[in-house]
Amino acid sequence: MKCAACVLALAPAILAQPLRVGTFQAEVRTEFTAAQGLPSIDVQRIWIGADGRPHALTAAGAARFDGERWTAEKAEPPPLSAVGPGGIVAEARPDGLYMRRKGGKRERLFPSDGSRSWAVQDVRGAVFDARGRLWFCSPQGAGALDGEKWTLYTGADGLPYDDFTSIAASADGSVWFGTRIGAIRFDGRHWSYRQGRRWLPHDEVRSIAVESDGTAWIATAGGISRIARRPMTLAEKARFFEEEIDRRHRRTPYEFVHPVHVATPGDASKWTQTDSDNDGLWTAMYGAGECFAYAATGDENARRRARKAFEALRFLSQVTQGGSHPAPKGFVARSILPVSGPDPNLRDSPERDRRRQQSDRLWKVIVPRWPVSADGKWYWKSDTSSDELDGHFFFYAAYFDHVARTEEEKREVREHVAAIADHLLVHHYTLVDHDGKPTRWGVFSPDELNHNRDWWQERGLNSLSILSYLRTAHHITGDPRYERACRALVERHGYGMNAMIVKSHQGPGSGNQSDDEMIFMNYYNLIRYETDPDLRMKYLLGFRNHYENEAPERNPLFHFLYAAVARGRQFEDAFGAVDLNPAPGWLEDSADTLQRITLDRFDWAHRNSHRKDIVLLPPHLRENRKDLYGRRVDGKVLPADERYFAHWNHDPWRLDTGGKGTELADGAVFLLPYYLGLYHGFLKD
C-alpha cells in the first residue's frame, strides 16, 4: 500500500491556466537546383510575378515555377524601387537612404531613434511593409520608419548579422533580409536566422520574394530555397515524429530507437540503422515519452509503443546472462548487435581501450567488450555507464505508474527492477561487469564517492543516482530493503547532502549537458518518491540550485521535469524562505522550443560564431577551448531551429554545430518533453 505522501507526490501538477499553444506555423524548406529545372544554380534575382508564380533570373537565363518544376522563359525582373503609401518612393543607394514623396523632391534620410543617429552609407535595400513602414538595411544595421518615428536595430538589439544583400516584406508584417551568410526573418519580436543546408542550398543570399501566404523564396549562389509555413499543432507534430520513428528508427526486433545514417545528404529514401553506447538511454527516454502520452491521452498506440520499449530494455538484462562471458544477474548491457553482422570487437578493441587510457587512466581494458549471448544470436556491449541506468529507472517508474495495467505486467516490472537494484546492493553499490570488476562509470559506493579523489566530480551526481534508483525500486516493488539501503546512504554516508550539490557549476554555460540530463531525470523520480518531508525539501533546494544554471538553455524537458516537482514550493531555513518556482518565462521558452524543433532532423551544419547578436562565454567556463561558445544578447542560448541536436545531452552553448546531413535523428527529443508537459498540465493543444 502506498503512503499518503507517495500518492500526493505522484499526482500530476495541474496549472490553473495551462499554456494553450494552438496552431502555429512550422517552417519547411524545399531546395531547387538544376535537377528541378533551373537554367543555372547561380540565381541572381527572384520575384513573384503578376501571375502569382515565382520567377527567377539565373546566370543562364530566367525561369518560371509551375508548381513542381522550373521552366525556362524570357522575362525581365521588376525594378528594385520601393513604393509605399501615397506613392512614396524609397531608394537604397550607395551614398545613403532616400525618399521622394509624390510630386516632391528626393530627400536623404538620417535615421535617429533618440539615442542613435545614423548617416547611413551603402544602403543595401529598402522596402515598405504591410503596415506602410519603411525598412532599410545597411552595414550599420537595419531600421524602420513608422510615420516620424525611427526604430534601429543592431546586434545588441538581436539582429543576427548585418552584411546585407537584399530585403523583402511579407503580407503578415514580417520582414526578410538577405545577407552574405544566410537569411533573416523578423516578425517584430523575434529574429530568426536561416543559415546552412537545413534552410538554404548556399549561404550567399542574392534576393528574397515572399508570397501572400508567407512562403519565402530565397535566391542563392547555389539554387533556390522555398521556406513554407505549414499550419500545425503540437499534437500533429508528435504524430509526424511517431510515424517517422515507426518508419525507419526501430532497430532489431526489440525496436531500440536510434538515429539512422543515409548515403546521400538529406535523402531519407534509403537508410542504414545504427547503434551507440546509449541505446538503452535513448530508448528509455523515447519510451518514457510514450508512457506520458498514454497517461495524458489514453491512446492505445502509445501504450503499445511503451510496452515495446519495456521489452527492449528488459532484454538488455536478459542478454547478458549465460554464454561464454556471463555477467552477474541484473547487469544491463549498453546495446546489442546481431552476430550475423561484423564483429564489433574488431572496432572496440583492447588497443582502442589502451589508447583511451592515455587521457583516462581509469578506462577499462575489457575483453571481450562485446560478448556473445548464450543463444549465439547477439553481441552485447559491456562496460555499462550510469547514464544507462538513469534512463532505465526513469522509464521503469513512468511505465509502472502509467502503463502497466494488469498484475502480470506490474509483476514483470517489479521482478526486473528488483534484479537490477539487487545487483547494486550485492556488489556494494557498483555495477559489476562480466570480468567481475566495476564498469568505468557504474560506481556509487561510499568508499569511492566520499573518499577517492578520482571520483570527486561524480560525487554529487552518482550519490543522486543511487538514491533515485533505490527510491524508485522501493516505490515499484514495495520491498523495504531498498528503503533501508537508501536511509543508510543518507544517514551514515551523507548522500542526502551530497545530492544537494550535484555538480560544481561556475554559472550558466558551464558544466556538462549529459550530466544535466541525468540529474533532471533522477531528481524527478527521487523527489516524487521520497517519503521524508525534510529530505524532499533538501532535494528540492539542490534541484533548484542546479536548475538555475540550466534555465537559459530553453530546454522544455529540463523546465518540465523541474516544474513538475517544484512549482508552487518554497524552501525554508534559518535565513528565510527561498522561492522554488521555475524561472520567469519557463513555459513560454518551452513551448517556443517545441514549436521550433525542426521537422527536418538531418544533422545539417549550423554556423553561428560570426553572428552579431552573440556574447562569447568567458574562457574559464569551458574546459574545451577549441570551439566557440556563447549566448544571445538576451542571455539565453540560440533557438532550437538555429542549431543541430539529436538528444537533450547536446551542448546548446556551442555556436557551430552539426555535420554533413548524413545522420537522420529521430523525434524522441520532441516527444518526451511534449507528452511530459501535456501530462503535467503545463501545455494544452
Side-chain angles (χ1 to χ4, degrees):
M1 180 177 178
K2 298 174 185 174
C3 66
C6 290
V7 174
L8 176 64
L10 287 172
I14 302 299
L15 296 182
Q17 292 184 330
L19 181 61
R20 183 184 292 274
V21 175
T23 300
F24 62 94
Q25 300 295 323
E27 291 186 311
V28 180
R29 181 268 292 157
T30 306
E31 185 174 291
F32 299 94
T33 62
Q36 289 77 41
L38 282 176
S40 167
I41 62 171
D42 184 358
V43 188
Q44 298 159 359
R45 283 281 306 278
I46 196 162
W47 67 95
I48 306 300
D51 58 358
R53 296 285 190 179
H55 298 252
L57 179 65
T58 77
R64 175 182 180 273
F65 187 65
D66 65 9
E68 294 184 4
R69 292 181 57 82
W70 292 86
T71 304
E73 66 170 356
K74 290 184 178 180
E76 292 292 329
L80 286 172
S81 58
V83 180
I88 299 175
V89 177
E91 296 181 58
R93 296 166 54 96
D95 61 339
L97 176 65
Y98 292 84
M99 182 174 8
R100 185 175 64 250
R101 302 180 189 277
K102 190 172 183 179
K105 295 182 179 181
R106 187 177 70 187
E107 58 179 297
R108 185 177 179 186
L109 301 179
F110 296 93
S112 175
D113 65 1
S115 60
R116 294 172 289 189
S117 296
W118 293 353
V120 288
Q121 300 285 336
D122 189 18
V123 180
R124 309 279 180 83
V127 71
F128 288 92
D129 70 10
R131 290 172 46 187
R133 296 174 297 181
L134 171 62
W135 286 83
F136 77 93
C137 55
S138 75
Q140 289 151 295
L145 177 62
D146 187 358
E148 300 297 324
K149 181 181 178 182
W150 283 99
T151 304
L152 303 178
Y153 303 96
T154 66
D157 306 293
L159 174 66
Y161 193 55
D162 55 15
D163 192 358
F164 297 106
T165 59
S166 58
I167 191 171
S170 174
D172 63 6
S174 62
V175 179
W176 281 87
F177 301 91
T179 81
R180 288 193 168 88
I181 310 179
I184 301 166
R185 180 179 183 271
F186 183 52
D187 65 6
R189 293 183 58 205
H190 303 107
W191 299 90
S192 298
Y193 188 48
R194 301 294 175 245
Q195 179 275 329
R197 286 292 305 280
R198 181 176 304 287
W199 300 110
L200 306 171
H202 194 285
D203 277 345
E204 184 178 338
V205 175
R206 269 76 176 277
S207 174
I208 301 178
V210 188
E211 292 188 80
S212 58
D213 65 355
T215 298
W217 293 85
I218 303 175
T220 79
I224 291 173
S225 177
R226 178 181 65 192
I227 300 180
R229 299 172 65 75
R230 180 191 299 176
M232 180 173 282
T233 66
L234 293 179
E236 290 170 341
K237 194 170 188 177
R239 286 194 293 273
F240 170 83
F241 284 135
E242 284 168 330
E243 290 169 1
E244 289 289 289
I245 289 172
D246 288 344
R247 181 175 294 115
R248 62 176 68 87
H249 290 282
R250 296 185 177 279
R251 191 180 66 81
T252 80
Y254 296 96
E255 300 186 2
F256 295 97
V257 174
H258 200 263
V260 299
H261 285 168
V262 299
T264 303
D267 182 358
S269 62
K270 296 180 181 179
W271 65 88
T272 303
Q273 293 181 326
T274 66
D275 75 296
S276 75
D277 280 0
N278 291 324
D279 272 17
L281 172 61
W282 305 140
T283 301
M285 296 181 72
Y286 159 77
E290 294 303 311
C291 293
F292 291 115
Y294 181 64
T297 68
D299 183 357
E300 285 296 323
N301 286 323
R303 186 177 188 277
R304 175 182 55 81
R305 293 181 177 116
R307 175 66 190 180
K308 287 298 296 186
F310 173 73
E311 292 170 351
L313 296 175
R314 180 172 57 170
F315 186 70
L316 290 178
S317 286
Q318 295 170 340
V319 75
T320 65
Q321 303 304 292
S324 58
H325 296 84
K329 183 180 179 181
F331 184 84
V332 177
R334 284 182 176 272
S335 179
I336 59 169
L337 287 172
V339 296
S340 58
D343 184 351
N345 290 297
L346 300 178
R347 176 190 68 198
D348 296 335
S349 64
E351 291 74 20
R352 173 184 171 274
D353 288 339
R354 281 188 278 271
R355 289 193 299 271
R356 181 72 178 266
Q357 285 181 333
Q358 295 175 10
S359 58
D360 178 2
R361 63 181 175 81
L362 297 183
W363 187 259
K364 290 182 62 172
V365 178
I366 184 168
V367 181
R369 186 163 285 271
W370 290 82
V372 175
S373 61
D375 61 8
K377 295 181 179 180
W378 302 101
Y379 293 109
W380 59 269
K381 192 166 190 178
S382 59
D383 201 23
T384 302
S385 176
S386 59
D387 50 358
E388 295 296 292
L389 292 186
D390 293 335
H392 278 254
F393 276 91
F394 179 68
F395 168 79
Y396 297 140
Y399 183 78
F400 183 81
D401 288 343
H402 306 308
V403 179
R405 293 189 298 203
T406 68
E407 184 53 38
E408 174 62 18
E409 289 173 336
K410 290 184 178 295
R411 181 190 61 78
E412 291 175 332
V413 185
R414 291 189 186 104
E415 290 180 354
H416 179 57
V417 168
I420 301 174
D422 287 348
H423 176 107
L424 295 170
L425 294 185
V426 167
H427 296 98
H428 193 56
Y429 305 111
T430 56
L431 188 61
V432 172
D433 218 321
H434 69 77
D435 61 354
K437 300 176 183 178
T439 65
R440 170 61 183 93
W441 298 108
V443 174
F444 312 96
S445 69
D447 291 345
E448 299 297 325
L449 297 187
N450 284 345
H451 304 292
N452 186 340
R453 66 182 181 182
D454 286 334
W455 288 93
W456 72 270
Q457 291 191 67
E458 286 73 36
R459 179 181 183 180
L461 173 53
N462 284 23
S463 295
L464 170 65
S465 291
I466 191 65
L467 293 179
S468 185
Y469 304 161
L470 293 171
R471 266 290 158 211
T472 302
H474 176 251
H475 166 74
I476 290 173
T477 68
D479 192 327
R481 292 184 302 122
Y482 305 129
E483 182 174 29
R484 289 197 297 268
C486 194
R487 289 276 181 250
L489 290 175
V490 169
E491 295 170 3
R492 300 178 194 171
H493 302 289
Y495 272 37
M497 297 301 290
N498 288 355
M500 290 185 69
I501 306 176
V502 283
K503 294 295 289 186
S504 298
H505 264 287
Q506 299 185 64
S510 63
N512 176 305
Q513 278 69 30
S514 287
D515 291 344
D516 297 332
E517 183 178 70
M518 295 185 279
I519 287 166
F520 276 76
M521 291 190 295
N522 282 323
Y523 266 136
Y524 177 81
N525 276 5
L526 177 60
I527 292 169
R528 290 168 67 243
Y529 300 140
E530 177 55 61
T531 59
D532 184 313
D534 183 64
L535 277 175
R536 187 186 298 131
M537 291 311 300
K538 288 178 180 177
Y539 299 147
L540 276 169
L541 181 64
F543 199 2
R544 178 258 193 181
N545 290 338
H546 186 79
Y547 166 77
E548 285 189 327
N549 288 292
E550 310 308 316
E553 295 185 2
R554 307 179 190 265
N555 186 322
L557 177 61
F558 290 2
H559 280 310
F560 292 161
L561 288 173
Y562 178 75
V565 296
R567 190 175 186 275
R569 306 289 183 88
Q570 67 176 16
F571 174 89
E572 295 184 5
D573 61 11
F575 300 99
V578 177
D579 183 6
L580 300 180
N581 276 300
W586 67 277
L587 189 50
E588 292 75 14
D589 275 353
S590 298
D592 182 69
T593 294
L594 290 172
Q595 292 173 65
R596 286 177 179 264
I597 289 175
T598 54
L599 300 175
D600 177 355
R601 302 294 297 138
F602 284 103
D603 67 328
W604 299 116
H606 289 262
R607 184 155 62 99
N608 292 295
S609 52
H610 63 285
R611 290 171 59 154
K612 303 292 184 177
D613 62 338
I614 294 296
V615 178
L616 294 179
L617 295 182
H620 74 274
L621 292 183
R622 287 288 165 174
E623 294 180 5
N624 178 7
R625 306 290 178 85
K626 294 183 295 184
D627 297 314
L628 289 176
Y629 300 87
R631 58 173 176 80
R632 295 184 81 182
V633 292
D634 63 0
K636 299 178 182 180
V637 300
L638 294 163
D641 51 7
E642 297 174 18
R643 48 190 164 93
Y644 171 72
F645 57 97
H647 304 288
W648 291 116
N649 71 334
H650 77 291
D651 188 342
W653 304 91
R654 185 180 174 190
L655 296 177
D656 298 334
T657 58
K660 298 180 180 179
T662 56
E663 178 181 279
L664 179 58
D666 56 75
V669 72
F670 170 90
L671 296 173
L672 173 55
Y674 166 62
Y675 285 125
L676 181 69
L678 204 63
Y679 165 70
H680 280 290
F682 302 145
L683 298 174
K684 189 170 185 179
D685 279 321

